[in-house]
């Protein structure tokens, strides 16, 4: 943290409040660095409760105006947001790569997913339609209408700095709400650019879209502010539990999507190419920093069958190239920060000290930014060991073994998490038994990263979510609207 000294050649980010880019009232900043090079990209203000209050005040005023705008006009505004993001998709993707570290193709796919969220939200006039029942008693009609919640705040994580703000912004706005974004302090630049582009469309009234940079104090300010009606959160399980509890204490509706420990079940009949391709993308894509990343491979079958699957995976992983996300040859990008790398190395060291075999060792050169960690595979890990049960959020894969599918499902379901789970098999029967029995919100069959498209709800079960409603799809309509039931009788 740099308390007061702000280098003149590096920009200190401003908040966007009430239609204006406004410097924070704080003098405290955090450094935002490129994980591949270590270059200082920006200083992130640790905004204050006064900044939060100003954003909420602006949002409340705009919400009153915006809810009166026709849903069709609001949907057109979101369509304009979609178009401007589409025009700038390459630029936003490059910003994601620079700020978060992931490879350019991965960043491009992230931006495409965010744009898709806008496309799904454009259907809002259709989705907002209510229900009615005529003549429930003599002359008595009942009608349910949906109205916006009011002011929505989104608190987002570092690993999808463009897509996750867009899981929330288009839906909240199309449903008639005002919006405040608190992006991750680790990589806030894509979120800032998205807000800037949204404002530049001229399609949204001043004060409707606000951005407040910062960390815990801003989150607490939003959770406690009486002017915030709903909180959409994505982050680690610990923070999700904290946010949901604190938001509920302050009478807000909350959806808090948390962490994960995703298993991939490898059946003996799995297609070798589909399986290895799926496992590589899932475990090592984005350096394992996805909530859908597979960090456990459950090898199923006889000892010989398990060993054959293990060999295929290790061989494929040993060919992956680790490097900067901007390099087109790179498969495994750096992790987000030197602190994250150090934590991961400590976890691998600990597993090794506790008897695990490091089958593939990525602990080598940390690279110019201090964030590089190669694909790492552990075997012979006790199934209750930290690396086998906790989310590590890095390119670290652990093997677990099971004699048959029932044992594999039982092992997968023993996790406190239930975000995603994947099976690789050529058997329809095994796939069906798996999708039926596995306790996870998102399931892949021969698909390593089973990310639902934006027309479906996105989230997990168990400790991977606090709250009931997922992101995107019809759940977004439920979350961003309140239902009102009108019972009417008119004189004949
Ligand atoms: P994080 O929990 O550290 O931070 C998320 C947000 O919460 C940030 O904006 C941060 O400023 C804020 N925050 C963090 N600690 C806080 C505290 N103590 N008090 C108040 N605010 C706090 O998460 P992260 O490291 O940025 O993101 C990675 C995590 O997000 C992983 O656990 C990953 O699985 C999870 N994730 C989940 C999903 C999902 O769909 N379930 C999607 C993406 C990421």
């Amino acid at each position: 943290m740099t308390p007061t000294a702000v280098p003149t050649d590096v920009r200190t980010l401003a908040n966007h409040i009430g239609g204006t880019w406004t410097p924070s009232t704080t003098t405290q900043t955090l450094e935002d660095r490129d994980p591949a090079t270590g270059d200082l990209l920006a200083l992130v203000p640790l905004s204050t409760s006064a900044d939060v209050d100003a954003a909420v005040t602006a949002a409340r005023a705009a919400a009153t105006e915006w809810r009166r705008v026709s849903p069709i006009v609001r949907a057109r505004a979101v369509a304009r947001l979609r178009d401007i993001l589409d025009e700038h998709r390459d630029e936003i993707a490059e910003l994601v790569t620079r700020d978060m570290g992931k490879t350019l193709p991965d960043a491009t796919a992230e931006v495409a997913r965010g744009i898709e969220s806008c496309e799904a939200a454009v259907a809002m006039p259709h989705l907002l339609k209510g229900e009615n029942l005529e003549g429930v008693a003599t002359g008595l009609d009942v009608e349910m209408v949906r109205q916006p919640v009011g002011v929505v705040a989104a608190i987002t994580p570092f690993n999808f700095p463009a897509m996750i703000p867009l899981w929330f912004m288009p839906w909240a706005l199309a449903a008639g709400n005002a919006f405040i974004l608190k992006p991750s302090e680790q990589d806030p630049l894509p979120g800032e650019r998205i807000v800037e582009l949204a404002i530049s469309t001229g399609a949204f009234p001043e004060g409707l879209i606000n951005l407040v940079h910062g960390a815990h104090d801003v989150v607490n300010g939003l959770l406690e502010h009486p002017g915030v009606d709903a909180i959409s959160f994505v982050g680690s399980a610990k923070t999700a539990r904290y946010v949901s509890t604190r938001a509920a204490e302050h009478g807000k509706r909350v959806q808090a999507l948390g962490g994960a420990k995703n298993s991939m079940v490898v059946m003996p009949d799995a297609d070798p190419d589909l399986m290895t391709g799926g496992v590589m993308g899932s475990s090592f894509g984005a350096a394992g920093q996805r909530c859908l990343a597979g960090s456990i491979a459950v090898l199923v079958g006889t000892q010989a069958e398990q060993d054959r699957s293990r060999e295929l995976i290790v061989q494929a992983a040993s060919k992956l190239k680790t490097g900067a996300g901007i390099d087109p040859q790179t498969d495994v990008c750096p992790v987000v920060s030197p602190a994250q790398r150090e934590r991961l190395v400590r976890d691998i060291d600990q597993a090794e000290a506790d008897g695990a075999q490091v089958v593939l060792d990525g602990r080598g050169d940390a690279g110019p930014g201090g964030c590089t960690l190669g694909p790492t595979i552990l075997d012979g890990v006790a199934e209750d060991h930290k690396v086998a049960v906790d989310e590590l959020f890095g390119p670290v894969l652990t093997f677990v073994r099971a004699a048959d599918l029932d044992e594999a499902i039982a092992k997968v379901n023993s996790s406190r998490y239930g975000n995603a789970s994947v099976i690789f098999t050529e058997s329809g029967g095994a796939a069906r038994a798996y999708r039926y029995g596995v306790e996870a919100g998102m399931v892949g069959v021969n698909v390593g990263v089973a990310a639902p498209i934006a027309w479906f709800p996105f989230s997990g079960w168990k400790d991977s979510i606090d709250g009931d409603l997922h992101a995107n799809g019809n759940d977004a309509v439920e979350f961003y609207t309140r239902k009102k039931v009108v019972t009417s009788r008119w004189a004949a």
Side-chain angles (χ1 to χ4, degrees):
M1 193 192 301
T2 48
T4 48
V6 177
T8 49
D9 56 337
V10 174
R11 192 165 63 97
T12 300
L13 303 182
N15 296 325
H16 188 79
I17 296 176
T20 316
W21 291 98
T22 314
S24 167
T25 53
T26 190
T27 53
Q28 293 209 315
T29 55
L30 295 176
E31 293 179 344
D32 174 20
R33 289 185 181 273
D34 179 336
T37 61
D39 291 347
L40 184 59
L41 301 176
L43 294 173
V44 187
L46 289 170
S47 300
T48 63
S49 54
D51 300 325
V52 171
D53 191 52
V56 177
T57 304
R60 283 228 79 78
T64 306
E65 183 188 340
W66 187 240
R67 69 167 287 206
R68 294 195 190 109
V69 172
S70 152
I72 301 156
V73 174
R74 297 197 305 245
R76 283 188 196 130
V78 171
R80 285 175 68 183
L81 170 62
R82 182 251 168 237
D83 288 349
I84 201 157
L85 294 173
D86 186 34
E87 282 162 31
H88 293 264
R89 66 165 75 208
D90 294 341
E91 174 211 327
I92 303 168
E94 274 175 38
L95 206 50
V96 169
T97 294
R98 197 140 51 91
D99 209 2
M100 183 274 173
K102 66 180 62 172
T103 63
L104 208 46
D106 203 15
T108 306
E110 161 169 359
V111 176
R113 285 290 185 145
I115 290 172
E116 185 183 286
S117 215
C118 298
E119 289 164 352
V122 166
M124 194 60 81
H126 185 64
L127 297 167
L128 279 181
K129 289 185 297 190
E131 300 169 352
N132 61 63
L133 192 61
E134 200 177 51
V136 296
T138 308
L140 204 69
D141 302 326
V142 182
E143 186 184 6
M144 187 275 281
V145 293
R146 291 182 180 277
Q147 297 188 342
V149 169
V151 173
V152 171
I155 300 157
T156 55
F158 81 82
N159 66 329
F160 283 94
M163 180 186 78
I164 294 184
L166 290 169
W167 275 359
F168 303 124
M169 190 161 105
W171 293 97
L173 295 174
N177 301 283
F179 187 75
I180 303 171
L181 174 65
K182 202 302 277 175
S184 169
E185 64 277 28
Q186 297 197 73
D187 52 7
L189 299 180
E192 179 196 52
R193 185 67 182 130
I194 286 166
V195 168
E196 196 173 49
L197 289 168
I199 301 302
S200 75
T201 61
F204 303 100
E206 278 186 4
L208 193 73
I209 301 172
N210 303 275
L211 181 153
V212 185
H213 290 289
H216 304 185
D217 288 350
V218 174
V219 173
N220 288 329
L222 291 167
L223 296 177
E224 288 169 11
H225 201 295
V228 175
D229 300 292
I231 300 280
S232 293
F233 171 88
V234 182
S236 63
K238 191 169 165 218
T239 322
R241 179 59 51 89
Y242 170 77
V243 164
S244 63
T245 307
R246 197 93 186 252
E249 276 168 8
H250 287 83
K252 302 182 195 317
R253 69 170 59 182
V254 58
Q255 54 179 181
L257 281 62
K261 186 75 178 175
N262 305 312
S263 290
M264 301 167 294
V265 169
V266 182
M267 297 299 284
D269 67 346
D271 177 88
D273 292 338
L274 267 182
M275 187 277 283
T276 50
V279 171
M280 292 310 106
S282 185
S283 300
F284 305 120
Q289 299 168 112
R290 293 191 189 121
C291 69
L292 293 169
S295 53
I296 300 277
V298 185
L299 310 178
V300 182
T302 62
Q303 180 75 44
E305 287 168 336
Q306 293 173 6
D307 289 348
R308 199 177 58 234
S309 298
R310 170 185 138 136
E311 201 42 41
L312 284 169
I313 292 170
V314 174
Q315 266 186 20
S318 61
K319 290 186 192 133
L320 297 177
K321 185 172 178 299
T322 303
I326 203 76
D327 179 348
Q329 303 302 316
T330 295
D331 300 301
V332 185
C333 68
V335 297
V336 72
S337 65
Q340 173 77 346
R341 183 188 191 276
E342 282 156 26
R343 201 177 51 71
L344 288 161
V345 169
R346 267 201 309 278
D347 288 337
I348 300 164
D349 291 347
Q350 187 61 54
E352 192 174 30
D354 293 338
Q357 189 192 346
V358 185
V359 185
L360 189 65
D361 194 347
R363 296 167 294 182
D365 182 8
C371 300
T372 302
L373 182 67
T376 299
I377 301 182
L378 305 172
D379 201 359
V381 176
E383 287 178 16
D384 60 352
H385 193 281
K386 179 179 192 296
V387 299
V389 296
D390 288 350
E391 181 180 53
L392 305 184
F393 226 51
V396 184
L397 173 66
T398 298
F399 288 133
V400 165
R401 284 150 196 275
D404 56 28
L405 182 58
D406 285 346
E407 188 186 349
I409 293 175
K411 285 191 172 173
V412 172
N413 288 349
S414 67
S415 175
R416 60 181 275 231
Y417 296 109
N419 210 44
S421 194
V422 173
I423 187 167
F424 294 100
T425 183
E426 288 301 291
S427 156
R432 189 179 183 283
Y434 193 70
R435 58 181 272 176
Y436 182 79
V438 74
E439 293 170 359
M442 297 174 279
V443 176
V445 177
N446 297 318
V447 173
V449 181
I453 56 170
W455 290 263
F456 285 84
F458 188 117
S459 181
W461 292 5
K462 296 159 83 175
D463 280 359
S464 294
I465 188 168
D466 280 290
D468 305 309
L469 293 169
H470 296 193
N472 282 315
N474 289 339
D475 277 26
V477 184
E478 284 293 329
F479 189 73
Y480 293 127
T481 59
R482 291 185 288 193
K483 294 183 277 283
K484 184 181 275 181
V485 178
V486 182
T487 305
S488 315
R489 171 173 279 139
W490 296 93

